[in-house]
Amino acid sequence: MMYDQTRAQQPAGEPRGRSGRAASGPEPLLPSDERDKIALRLGHAINTFADTPHAALEEADAALDETSAQLVKALAELRRVLRETWQEQDAETESTELRLALRQYREITQRLLHL
């Protein structure tokens, strides 16, 4: 996941997608194909619960485990990229660039707090 400077420069109330069109909200932390795979696993667990409750619960547990592991990985990458935008700058870095990085930290943290 890359730091999107164009998106960071948008006012906080006007999120934009990669295409530049107004987005319905922030981009998901996980790619859609990964979200779909996990949702299918969870749906399968729910649908098979009546016949095999223990196996269904194990599958649901695995889906939750995979989701949390992928989120941790995605957040670590987001943080790494974001850090690079300000830690490797010299002391003369413009406050505007630092403000944009702070905005990204705020947006990410607020998203996590509202999960």
Side-chain angles (χ1 to χ4, degrees):
M1 190 165 294
M2 299 290 296
Y3 172 74
D4 187 349
Q5 187 170 3
T6 303
R7 184 174 176 274
Q9 293 173 343
Q10 298 295 323
E14 296 180 24
R16 300 273 174 189
R18 289 200 172 131
S19 66
R21 294 178 294 166
S24 62
E27 290 185 32
L29 293 170
L30 300 180
S32 61
D33 61 328
E34 292 300 322
R35 290 191 324 266
D36 292 345
K37 286 179 194 175
I38 295 168
L40 282 173
R41 289 180 67 188
L42 185 58
H44 183 262
I46 292 168
N47 290 332
T48 60
F49 179 78
D51 296 329
T52 56
H54 282 73
L57 289 171
E58 287 174 6
E59 188 167 9
D61 182 64
L64 177 60
D65 189 44
E66 182 178 344
T67 302
S68 59
Q70 295 229 7
L71 282 172
V72 166
K73 182 180 172 184
L75 288 169
E77 177 63 11
L78 241 159
R79 184 178 185 207
R80 182 192 65 75
V81 171
L82 187 53
R83 273 187 174 178
E84 286 178 0
T85 66
W86 64 271
Q87 279 189 333
E88 295 178 4
Q89 302 292 330
D90 58 24
E92 301 297 318
T93 300
E94 291 188 35
S95 65
T96 302
E97 292 176 30
L98 298 175
R99 190 173 298 113
L100 293 174
L102 182 58
R103 178 181 289 168
Q104 287 292 310
Y105 276 112
R106 180 192 69 202
E107 288 176 4
I108 294 165
T109 303
Q110 287 178 337
R111 284 175 67 187
L112 291 172
L113 291 173
H114 290 97
L115 286 178

